[in-house]
Amino acid sequence: MKKFTLDSCCVIELPKVTDIRGNLTFVEGGRHIPFDIKRTYYLYDVPGGAERGGHAHKELHQLIIAISGAFDIVLDDGRAKKRFHLNKSYFGLYVCPMIWREMDNFSSGAVCLVLASNYYDESDYYRKYDDFIAAATT
Ligand code: TYD
């Protein structure tokens, strides 16, 4: 199986159709991002100071976009960590499988859109950091 690390994660610039009536951005699975999209979900009404995430996925690929406002994401592959600041609706952070993520510093009114490669499946989660580290570092 392919070994996923922090180096596989990156910020992807999405197409932007600039228009004086308002800009438009689109995402095509398998073209702009390295997976087909099976699910989308979004986080909103996040209270000041709240933290989200705190888990890793075994097989899920995701693209995380600050559709509105801004927030930070810390990615961790068990060996290294990197903090990303997302604040543009035409940039998405690609997160590959086997990456622990924490999200914080949500601005007021921030909306986080997530495109995901599969349906919701609780058995795909590592919810305990120790379990993730044991799996990621062997
Ligand atoms: P979780 O993925 O832990 O959210 P976050 O990482 O943003 O903190 O999900 C929170 C809850 O929502 C959890 O009980 C599972 C549920 N959930 C679904 O039912 N379907 C979904 O697609 C997602 C992402 C979460």
Side-chain angles (χ1 to χ4, degrees), residues 39-41 43 51-55 57 101 103 119-120 122 125 127:
R39 174 170 55 114
T40 65
Y41 64 92
L43 298 171
E51 295 179 4
R52 302 287 316 212
H55 63 254
H57 287 282
R101 87 288 312 273
M103 303 169 66
Y119 303 126
Y120 171 71
E122 187 59 36
Y125 281 75
R127 295 261 185 208

Side-chain angles (χ1 to χ4, degrees), residues 3-80:
K3 181 91 176 156
F4 288 107
T5 68
L6 208 45
D7 290 339
S8 312
C9 301
C10 59
V11 174
I12 295 175
E13 183 164 3
L14 301 166
K16 182 181 181 189
V17 183
T18 306
D19 192 312
I20 51 168
R21 299 170 303 161
N23 300 330
L24 182 152
T25 283
F26 58 98
V27 187
E28 296 179 351
R31 287 189 174 170
H32 305 121
I33 56 176
F35 60 87
D36 288 328
I37 302 160
K38 267 200 176 170
R39 174 170 55 114
T40 65
Y41 64 92
Y42 34 96
L43 298 171
Y44 53 97
D45 292 346
V46 180
E51 295 179 4
R52 302 287 316 212
H55 63 254
H57 287 282
K58 296 172 187 171
E59 295 186 0
L60 194 71
H61 299 252
Q62 294 176 300
L63 187 81
I64 302 177
I65 305 170
I67 282 292
S68 184
F71 51 83
D72 288 357
I73 308 180
V74 178
L75 300 184
D76 172 357
D77 65 4
R79 298 179 195 280

Side-chain angles (χ1 to χ4, degrees), residues 56-120:
H57 287 282
K58 296 172 187 171
E59 295 186 0
L60 194 71
H61 299 252
Q62 294 176 300
L63 187 81
I64 302 177
I65 305 170
I67 282 292
S68 184
F71 51 83
D72 288 357
I73 308 180
V74 178
L75 300 184
D76 172 357
D77 65 4
R79 298 179 195 280
K81 293 185 187 190
K82 190 170 177 186
R83 178 175 287 269
F84 296 85
H85 180 66
L86 293 183
N87 64 351
K88 295 271 190 294
S89 39
Y90 55 92
F91 281 114
L93 178 62
Y94 166 64
V95 183
C96 65
M98 295 304 291
I99 301 289
W100 189 267
R101 87 288 312 273
E102 311 269 1
M103 303 169 66
D104 59 15
N105 282 336
F106 284 87
S107 69
S108 163
V111 178
C112 168
L113 176 70
V114 183
L115 311 180
S117 63
N118 214 341
Y119 303 126
Y120 171 71

